[in-house]
Amino acid sequence: MGFISDALNRIQPSATIAISNKALAMQAEGQNVIGLAAGEPDFETPRNIKDAAIKAINDGKTRYTAVDGIPQLKQAVVDKFKRENGLTYKTSQVSVGTGGKQVLFNALLATVNPGDEVIVPAPYWVSYPDIVMLAGGTPVIVQCPAAKGFKLQAADLEKAITPKTKWLILNSPSNPTGAAYSHADMKAITDVLVKHPHVYLLTDDMYEHLVYDDFKFVTPAQVEPKLYDRTLTMNGVSKAYCMTGWRIGYAAGPEALIKAMGKLQSQSTSNPSSIAQWAAVEALNGPQDFIPAHNKIFKERRDLVVSMLNQAKGLKCATPEGAFYVYPSCEGTLGKTAPSGKVIKTDEDFVSELLAAEGVAAVHGAAFGTSPFFRISYATATTTLEDACQRIQRFCASLK
Ligand SMILES: Cc1ncc(COP(=O)(O)O)c(C=O)c1O
């Protein structure tokens, strides 16, 4: 339609949100549907965080704030980076936005010119390429093979860098694969970047706290201090603190970039919710003991799902280091016929036939740039996951 801008016509609606909405609509019609498409913890926001928000309301903290965050939250972010990542920032190097998504959006819109290239390792979080395209840039997709744990390989990164490369976006632990970079994995990547001083690094550390089996999380500016001046370290409270609906994300990096991001935010949303910001102060400064308690449950669910999926005919599922996703291959089901009579040709066919036959909603790998796979979020009750995996096994067994 001619009325819609070229910039908007370059992008797609978020596939994960579309599938979650479809599952919700089927549930509302009374169908027995299990939604494994949404990327959010099923746990409640901890009590102390809710109380901090209630107190903020009662104390009248209900007005506009500084555009990119109240000083108390910026200080809590500075303290978090020091305490957990050994990174030193000033509050003038911190930006707070309405979710991690806005922070990423601001960073890319504030820096990407038409013709600029942004390297996006695949499988990727659905929004990266679209935000780059909205900004007029070109996403350069680099495949990270399953055989290499879905992690970017140094040689592949080296090949993808051109004089036009502006950013590399890294995401560890990853949505959609759960793959996380060890110190050695990360060092291999940062060694390449050190050789290319024109490339900036946007690291999306949203799932930092969700790692299992004693895996040690690292962030690139900590692994390679030489990259500190050209790294934007992004994080947020949505996942680890069970605050997806509160909409608070943040990043720290070079002051000039932070200032540019604030300028953009001043002409779009202004400050994130004042109440949510006070809740986030409590999240970062308050007790952290619920995180290992949640992780124990997530790990049990991960192990259950991996084991049950590997028992499904035609599926193959690796055990990821973190996040709350698994990314099984459905290659062994391609060419087979579903109960509806339709031949499964792609991962998109696989997930739509699975939804039709057994009422399990998952997201096709094509949405994340790597086929033939699909993503399952295991951030849902263990008994529900068992039921879902039994349905998947039954569906795979029914294919002819
Ligand atoms: C990798 C990744 N980055 C960023 C975000 C955005 O987080 P938020 O909900 O804080 O905007 C998500 C949420 O799904 C994510 O999975």
Side-chain angles (χ1 to χ4, degrees):
M1 174 180 162
F3 186 60
I4 302 301
S5 72
D6 294 345
L8 200 77
N9 280 331
R10 285 196 289 270
I11 68 171
Q12 299 293 325
S14 162
T16 43
I17 292 176
I19 292 160
S20 299
N21 286 347
K22 187 169 172 193
L24 287 174
M26 288 171 75
Q27 280 164 351
E29 282 169 11
Q31 298 191 50
N32 179 357
V33 169
I34 303 179
L36 303 180
E40 65 178 342
D42 54 321
F43 303 119
E44 272 291 302
T45 307
R47 186 72 251 170
N48 61 309
I49 299 175
K50 290 182 180 174
D51 286 343
I54 293 165
K55 181 168 185 316
I57 294 173
N58 289 333
D59 289 352
K61 305 258 175 48
T62 52
R63 299 175 187 277
Y64 291 133
T65 75
V67 164
D68 64 354
I70 55 175
Q72 293 84 346
L73 181 50
K74 289 189 174 188
Q75 188 58 50
V77 169
V78 165
D79 295 345
K80 172 260 178 288
F81 280 125
K82 187 83 208 161
R83 179 177 73 238
E84 297 185 340
N85 311 105
L87 291 171
T88 306
Y89 292 108
K90 296 184 284 209
T91 50
S92 56
Q93 290 178 278
V94 172
S95 190
V96 179
T98 300
K101 203 174 218 170
Q102 187 182 26
V103 174
L104 287 163
F105 187 92
N106 286 345
L108 292 167
L109 266 284
T111 57
V112 173
N113 285 313
D116 285 347
E117 294 175 357
V118 176
I119 298 176
V120 180
Y124 46 71
W125 181 51
V126 286
S127 296
Y128 302 141
D130 288 289
I131 299 175
V132 171
M133 287 190 282
L134 188 66
T138 306
V140 174
I141 309 298
V142 179
Q143 288 296 332
C144 306
K148 302 278 186 190
F150 297 113
K151 287 174 222 174
L152 179 63
Q153 301 301 297
D156 296 332
L157 171 61
E158 187 79 61
K159 267 186 262 163
I161 294 174
T162 76
K164 290 186 183 162
T165 307
K166 193 124 197 188
W167 289 100
L168 162 66
I169 302 181
L170 268 191
N171 172 219
S172 166
S174 149
N175 176 2
T177 65
Y181 289 65
S182 67
H183 191 280
D185 295 332
M186 192 60 87
K187 186 75 170 53
I189 298 304
T190 58
D191 282 353
V192 174
L193 292 177
V194 166
K195 291 189 276 174
H196 299 276
H198 68 290
V199 180
Y200 275 64
L201 174 59
L202 207 175
T203 176
D204 178 342
D205 298 353
M206 276 313 274
Y207 295 92
E208 164 174 12
H209 292 106
L210 305 179
V211 290
Y212 315 113
D213 306 321
D214 300 322
F215 182 88
K216 199 162 166 359
F217 170 86
V218 291
T219 192
Q222 163 196 35
V223 169
E224 181 47 84
K226 286 189 195 126
L227 295 179
Y228 175 87
D229 288 332
R230 50 187 166 108
T231 298
L232 185 69
T233 305
M234 175 255 160
N235 208 317
V237 294
S238 296
K239 312 287 174 169
Y241 298 92
C242 314
M243 292 176 70
T244 45
W246 298 74
R247 312 307 304 132
I248 296 291
Y250 57 83
E255 222 169 277
L257 172 61
I258 294 297
K259 221 170 140 195
M261 291 162 61
K263 181 174 161 187
L264 179 57
Q265 193 159 304
S266 79
Q267 294 292 20
S268 53
T269 58
S270 289
N271 62 274
S273 154
S274 56
I275 298 149
Q277 288 189 70
W278 283 102
V281 170
E282 173 62 19
L284 294 180
N285 290 345
Q288 308 285 308
D289 50 335
F290 59 87
I291 296 177
H294 287 173
N295 283 0
K296 188 167 171 285
I297 298 168
F298 279 139
K299 181 195 141 50
E300 284 165 12
R301 291 175 180 172
R302 178 201 64 176
D303 293 344
L304 170 83
V305 168
V306 168
S307 153
M308 287 186 78
L309 291 177
N310 278 322
Q311 290 167 48
K313 215 169 153 213
L315 302 187
K316 235 181 10 224
C317 185
T319 303
E321 294 90 348
F324 38 62
Y325 307 104
V326 291
Y327 200 67
S329 160
C330 58
E331 193 169 9
T333 68
L334 302 185
K336 297 197 174 162
T337 306
S340 70
K342 192 177 158 122
V343 176
I344 295 176
K345 295 202 191 84
T346 63
D347 50 29
E348 194 159 5
D349 293 342
F350 178 86
V351 297
S352 66
E353 291 302 313
L354 172 65
L355 182 59
E358 289 286 351
V360 175
V363 187
H364 50 292
F368 308 102
T370 305
S371 293
F373 293 84
F374 61 103
R375 187 193 78 174
I376 279 181
S377 163
Y378 57 82
T380 199
T382 309
T383 49
T384 310
L385 285 171
E386 255 171 358
D387 181 4
C389 289
Q390 275 163 8
R391 295 185 193 198
I392 294 171
Q393 288 177 350
R394 199 160 57 215
F395 174 70
C396 290
S398 76
L399 301 177
K400 300 230 168 60

